[in-house]
Amino acid sequence: MKLDAKRREYDIIVIGEESHLAYNRVGLTSFFQHRKVENLYLNPKEWYSNVPEGSLNYHLNTKVTEIHLEPKLVSCSSGETVPYDVLVLATGSDALLPRHTPGHDAKGVFVYRTIEDLEKLIEFSAERKGTHGAVVGGGLLGLEAAKAMMDLENYEKVKLIERNRWVLSRQLDGDAGGLVVEQVRDMGLDVLLSKRVGKIEVTEDNCVKGVVFEDGEKMDCSTICFAIGIKARDELARKAGIKCADRGGGIIVDNSLRTSAPDVYAIGECASWENQTFGLIAPGIEMADVLSFNLTQAKAHAFRKFKRPDLSTKLKLLGVEVASFGDFFADRDGPKHLPVRAGRKKEGSPDALHRLTDGPAPSPVKALTYKDPFQAVYKKYLFTLDGKYLLGGMMIGDTKDYVKLVPMVKNQKMLDVPPSQFILGASKEGDEGGDDLDDDTQICSCHNVTKGDVCNVVKDGSCKSIGDVKSCTKAGTGCGGCMPLVTSIFNSQMKAMGNEVKNHICPHFNYSRVDLYNIISSKQLKTLQEVMKEAGNDPESQGCEACKPSIGSIFTSLYNKHVMGRNLMGLQETNDRFLANIQRNGTFSVVPRVSAGEITPEKLIVIGNVAKKYNLYTKITGGQRIDMFGAKKQDLIPIWEELIKGGMESGHAYGKSLRTVKSCVGTTWCRYGIGDSVGMAVRLEERYKSIRSPHKIKGGVSGCVRECAEAQNKDFGLIATDKGFNLYVGGNGGASPKHSELLAKDVPPDDIVPIIDRYLMFYIRTADKLQRTARWLEALPGGIQYLREVILEDKLGICASLEAQMEELVGTFFDEWAEAIKDPAIRAKFQQFDNTTETLETMETQEDRGQTRPVDWAKESAKEDFKNTKWTSLTWQPMIEASHFKGADEAPNGISANVKRGDTQLAIFRVRGKWLASQQMCPHKRAFVLSDGLIGDSKDKLWVSCPYHKRNFELTGEQAGRCQNDEEVSIATFPCEEREDGMVYLKLPPVHELDGVLGTKKWMVKKGESGEGPFEKLDRKLTPNGMKIKGRKPMEARRQLVAAGGPAEVNIDW
C-alpha cells in the first residue's frame, strides 16, 4: 500500500482464517504477561480504518477452501467467492505434531504457534497448578515455549526435552549449545538431553499423565507442548494444481516469487525457494519487500530478485543473549560459498590422485574461538584460511558486535584488520554507535530495516523523532532489541544535518529546561499562566506532570517562595506538595535537619518522643540523620510543631534540593584528623539548605585522606589537606554511580564558599531537567577543564552574578515547616478527607524487628475494568462545599479534594472551569492518592497523573477512565457539578454498590498478597530447627557441631 500510494493500481483484499488482525508472532511469548492480542498487532485497529477508501479490505475468521485458477476466483468457508487479478499465498506453516506417537491426541498436548494455541495453554495450565509441564524440542521455538510455561507460574517445574546433546543445534555448536544449557538450567528450567519421546501416557479419560522415552525411562507431567518444527501449508496450492516441493513441502517459487500458476505468488513460510523453506521472520519480510516492489515499482525500475536470504539470528532466550550469523557451520559442514578470491585454486593444490592417497584436503576454514565460563560468554568466528574474509560465527552472552559482523559476511569485503581484533575489540564499553556501519547494514532483522532506511526518513524530513522512525520503518516494533542502535543512528543523522536533537521539556514547550530558566529569569515570570503565554505551544494549556514540577523548581530556585503557596502548590510533586516524602501506604516520612550529622542528646530525645507518640518507624539514613516513617497526613502539622518546639526544622528530604553534607569527626575528635570537617560541613549545610535545584544535591567533608565521609562520590565534596581542602565536584552514588572530579586543590577554608556558590548556581542555571551534577558535568563542553575556567578563572565574566544570586537565595531562607504551621490556609490541607474528619486505613501493617511498617505491595495491579462499570442506578449526591475550591480556576493545577462516601474514597477536581471526579484509588498499586496527582492536558483532553508511578488517567471525553500508559488498568469516573445550594454534587450509585466495587476495605493491600517474604528461605537456612544463631562465636559453633556429630567430625576446620 505504501508503494502503491501514488499510483493506486491495486485494491487489496486480505483473507485470514484466524480471528485476529495481523499480529507479530515473534512477540508471542510476551502474550503471557499482558494477555492482550492488541499489543501484538502489527498495526493498531485504527490504522485499518484510516487507509484510503477502497484500498484495503480484510476478512477475519474466513478460510480459503479452493483456488480457481482459470476464472481467477477463490472460494471461502463462508460460501463467498472473491475474484482476483493477482493472488499472493502467505498461508504460513503448521506446527508439527508427532502423530505416530501414541497419546499425541490426549488432553494436555499442545503446540506453540498461534494466539489460540496460547490461550488454550493458559486455560489448561490454570487447571493443572502444581504439576509438571514439558516442552519437546530444544530449538528457538522450544526455548520460547519453555519460557512461556515458566512465566505462567502454574507449574511446579517445567522440563525441556531435546533429542540432541545440546539445545539450539541448528544455530549453535556443542560448546555454545552446552553453555546455553548451563545458563537456562541456572534459571530453573530442567533440560533433558539425548531424549526421544516414545509414548505419551494418559489417564482413563485421555489426559496426559507422563511420557515414556525410547530408552524406557519415564517422566511424570500433566502438559506437553511440542515445538519440534513446522510444515509449510501448501495443501491449498496442491489442490489447485500449483507445483509444490515433494520433499519438505512448500509452494515452489522462482526468484520473483512466482508459482507455476499465472499471476499467483507465494511468500513466507509456505514458499519453497530452491528446495528450501524458511521459518524465520526476516526471509518472509524480504520476500514481501521484493514482491511488493515488483508489483508496484518495477514498471519504472528493474525487477528485484529474491536472493539467498540471510539466516542470521539474534535473540534473547530465557535471558540469554544468543546470535548466529553468516555460514555459522562452515567449519563443520564445509563452506556453502567462498569469496571469489578466497575460492581460487592455488598452485600446487592437491589433485584427485593425491586426495585419494593422502586423504581429504584440510578444511578451507579456520575458527577463532573465545570462551569465558565465568561471564558465560562464548564466541566463535569462522574465517577463510588466510584470515582475510569472515564467513560466519556464533555468540553467546555478548552479542553487541552482531550488527557490525553481519554486513561483513554479506558484503564479502576483504578484512583490513587481523582476526584477533574481532575478539579483543568486542569488549569495548559503550560502542553501540552506528557511525561505522554502511547504509545497507541491516539493523532490524525482524522487519529488514537497514541503516540507510533510518537515515533516509530523517533526511527527507518525514521523521523528526524516534516515534516517527518506528512508525515509518517498523524498526524496533518486533523484538525491540535494535532500539539502542536505531536511536544512536537517528541522533547521529540529526546532528549531521545540523538539526538539534530535541531536548524539549515536554510536548507543551519547544524549549529545554535551560531555555525556560533563562526565559523565566529574564522576563521575571512568576506563574504557570505567564510562562504558558510567553513560551508555551498553547497559551491556555494546563501543562502536565513533566513540565509543572520543572517550572515549579525554577520558580523556587529564582524567587525562593513557599512551595505550598497558591501559585506554586499545583506545580509540585506530592513530596513537595506536603513537605514530606510520600510512602507506599499513603503515609509520609519526616526527616528533620541534622546538619553534618551533629545532634545533641536533647534533640535525639525530641525525635524519640515524637516517633513513639505517633508510632513511627525510625531508621538512620545514609546522610547521617534520622528518618521517621508512617506519619499520616493529618498528623504532619502536630509532628512538626513538636519538632520545631524542640529546636529542629525541615531537612528538605522531600525536595530537589540540598539533602545533607556528610562529615567525619575530623579534628573535633579523631587523632588522624587534619581539618575541622564537622565545622566546615555544618557551615555548608546551613548555607545551602532549602535551595531548589534541577536534582537533589549531596555534599561531604572528610577531615583527612582516609575519606570516612566519602566526599568523592558527592555532588560537592571536600577532603582536608595541610593547606586547606581539595574540592571535588560532579560525583554521585545511586543507579549510575560516578566518582567526583577534582576542581581545585588546597583551597583555603575562606575561599571554599565563594567557589561552591558559583558552582551550584552555574549548575542551577544550566542543567537539564532532573540532571544530576555528574551527568551535567559530563555534558559540559570541555568537562572539568571548562568548569575550572568558568568557576575559577571567570572565563564568561559571570562569577559576580553567580555569587550575588546565591547570596540572595541564602538571605531569603525560611523554614517551610514553620511557615506551614503559621498559615491557616496551608494547615487546612493536611487532612485525609476534605468532607469529614473521619479517617480510613488504606493498607495493612505488620511488625518487623519491633517496629510497624506497611505490608508489601500485592503482586498484581487491580485489573478490573473500572472504566466500564455498569451501575444499577445513579443519583446526584451532595459531597462537599464548593467553597473548598475557591480560586481553583486561577491555580496552576486547579484544586482537588479527597472525599469519603461510605467506605469509598473519591477524588474531585476543579480545573479551568470544569468539574471532574473519579475514584481515589490508582489501580496500579492500589494506592488511594489520585486527588494529589498533577493534572495534564492536550488539546481538549485532561488527565490526572498518579503521584506514585505516573500512571496517567484520562478524566474527560469518551475515553474517560482510560490509562494512557498502562492499558491493563483503568479508573471509574463520575459526573460532577456545582449547584445553587453551594454544594458540589456527584452522580453516584447506592453506597452499598459503590463500596462493593471501590470500597477501601476491599482494595486495601493485605498481608500475604505479595506471596512469600523475600527472606523466608534465607531465614530458614540461618535458623535451622528454629535455633537462633545470631552472635554465636566460632568455637561455640564448633563445639555444637562436634556434640551433634560425634567424635568422627572433630576435624572440622574453622
Side-chain angles (χ1 to χ4, degrees), residues 780-1035:
L780 280 180
I784 189 66
Q785 182 56 41
Y786 174 75
L787 187 64
R788 289 192 188 108
E789 292 171 354
V790 172
I791 300 303
L792 303 180
E793 302 169 18
D794 201 12
K795 178 179 182 178
L796 302 180
I798 60 172
C799 283
S801 169
L802 295 172
E803 289 182 39
Q805 190 173 358
M806 179 61 76
E807 195 63 46
E808 183 179 354
L809 288 175
V810 170
T812 56
F813 167 79
F814 58 90
D815 177 23
E816 290 176 341
W817 286 355
E819 293 300 309
I821 291 169
K822 295 176 190 174
D823 190 326
I826 293 178
R827 288 181 69 108
K829 300 179 188 298
F830 289 88
Q831 54 189 33
Q832 184 176 15
F833 298 112
D834 296 294
N835 66 338
T836 179
T837 57
E838 297 177 23
T839 61
L840 287 175
E841 296 296 330
T842 58
M843 182 182 281
E844 287 188 354
T845 58
Q846 67 183 57
E847 294 293 315
D848 259 6
R849 297 172 293 278
Q851 297 200 85
T852 302
R853 73 165 182 88
V855 298
D856 294 330
W857 260 326
K859 284 186 175 181
E860 293 291 332
S861 303
K863 297 179 181 177
E864 272 74 358
D865 187 8
F866 295 112
K867 173 180 175 290
N868 295 311
T869 302
K870 304 298 182 186
W871 307 105
T872 57
S873 63
L874 294 170
T875 58
W876 289 100
Q877 301 293 329
M879 295 305 301
I880 187 172
E881 293 182 3
S883 58
H884 173 85
F885 302 90
K886 184 179 179 181
D889 294 346
E890 291 75 45
N893 201 58
I895 292 178
S896 61
N898 180 19
V899 298
K900 178 178 179 292
R901 177 170 172 78
D903 188 47
T904 298
Q905 302 183 46
L906 302 168
I908 301 177
F909 307 89
R910 171 73 181 189
V911 185
R912 295 286 173 90
K914 293 182 179 180
W915 291 102
L916 306 164
S918 73
Q919 66 189 61
Q920 172 74 342
M921 180 187 72
C922 172
H924 174 231
K925 291 296 184 181
R926 289 156 55 183
F928 297 83
V929 292
L930 288 184
S931 64
D932 295 330
L934 290 173
I935 299 294
D937 72 5
S938 177
K939 297 180 180 177
D940 58 347
K941 184 188 299 181
L942 287 169
W943 66 82
V944 61
S945 182
C946 173
Y948 274 17
H949 300 108
K950 297 294 181 287
R951 294 302 193 273
N952 294 345
F953 297 96
E954 296 184 23
L955 296 174
T956 57
E958 293 182 0
Q959 293 296 317
R962 183 181 78 91
C963 183
Q964 297 175 343
N965 45 10
D966 186 349
E967 293 291 346
E968 289 193 334
V969 295
S970 67
I971 61 172
T973 57
F974 302 94
C976 182
E977 63 181 33
E978 178 186 357
R979 295 191 177 178
E980 293 181 356
D981 61 0
M983 297 293 291
V984 176
Y985 283 70
L986 298 187
K987 200 171 187 181
L988 300 171
V991 172
H992 71 276
E993 186 179 359
L994 186 65
D995 288 346
V997 176
L998 295 171
T1000 304
K1001 289 188 179 66
K1002 176 178 180 177
W1003 290 111
M1004 68 185 296
V1005 179
K1006 301 175 181 64
K1007 188 171 184 179
E1009 289 193 62
S1010 63
E1012 186 178 50
F1015 301 119
E1016 289 188 26
K1017 290 182 180 178
L1018 177 62
D1019 288 343
R1020 287 195 290 270
K1021 291 180 180 179
L1022 294 177
T1023 56
N1025 302 320
M1027 177 181 60
K1028 303 263 184 194
I1029 60 173
K1030 182 180 179 182
R1032 244 181 339 148
K1033 297 177 181 177
M1035 283 306 294

Side-chain angles (χ1 to χ4, degrees), residues 624-643:
Q624 298 180 329
R625 51 188 183 178
I626 299 172
D627 205 336
M628 294 175 279
F629 294 85
K632 298 174 181 176
K633 188 193 293 186
Q634 59 269 28
D635 291 336
L636 287 174
I637 292 290
I639 287 172
W640 295 340
E641 286 176 329
E642 293 193 35
L643 292 172

Side-chain angles (χ1 to χ4, degrees), residues 114-160:
T114 66
I115 290 291
E116 186 179 6
D117 293 334
L118 271 58
E119 289 174 337
K120 289 178 180 178
L121 179 57
I122 291 169
E123 182 181 356
F124 186 85
S125 69
E127 302 169 359
R128 297 294 189 275
K129 290 188 178 182
T131 62
H132 288 191
V135 175
V136 181
L140 296 171
L141 198 61
L143 288 173
E144 285 280 340
K147 181 184 186 302
M149 291 181 73
M150 292 173 71
D151 287 346
L152 287 172
E153 297 183 347
N154 287 332
Y155 297 103
E156 180 183 353
K157 206 73 180 173
V158 176
K159 302 184 179 185
L160 182 75

Side-chain angles (χ1 to χ4, degrees), residues 563-564 573-593 616-617 621 625-633 636 639-640 650-660 692 695-696 698 816-817 830 854 929 932 947-948:
V563 295
M564 292 190 72
E573 298 277 15
T574 304
N575 290 348
D576 274 309
R577 182 177 291 198
F578 294 106
L579 311 181
N581 289 61
I582 193 168
Q583 303 301 326
R584 288 193 295 111
N585 61 344
T587 63
F588 294 82
S589 65
V590 176
V591 188
R593 187 164 300 284
L616 305 180
Y617 174 106
T621 74
R625 51 188 183 178
I626 299 172
D627 205 336
M628 294 175 279
F629 294 85
K632 298 174 181 176
K633 188 193 293 186
L636 287 174
I639 287 172
W640 295 340
S650 168
H652 293 91
Y654 46 83
K656 297 291 186 284
S657 59
L658 178 75
R659 297 295 175 84
T660 64
R692 295 308 202 279
H695 212 300
K696 62 186 175 186
K698 296 181 180 181
E816 290 176 341
W817 286 355
F830 289 88
V929 292
D932 295 330
Y948 274 17

Side-chain angles (χ1 to χ4, degrees), residues 483-501:
M483 279 313 299
L485 183 58
V486 173
T487 302
S488 175
I489 292 170
F490 170 79
N491 289 341
S492 296
Q493 186 61 47
M494 289 287 282
K495 289 177 182 177
M497 293 168 60
N499 295 334
E500 183 181 358
V501 179

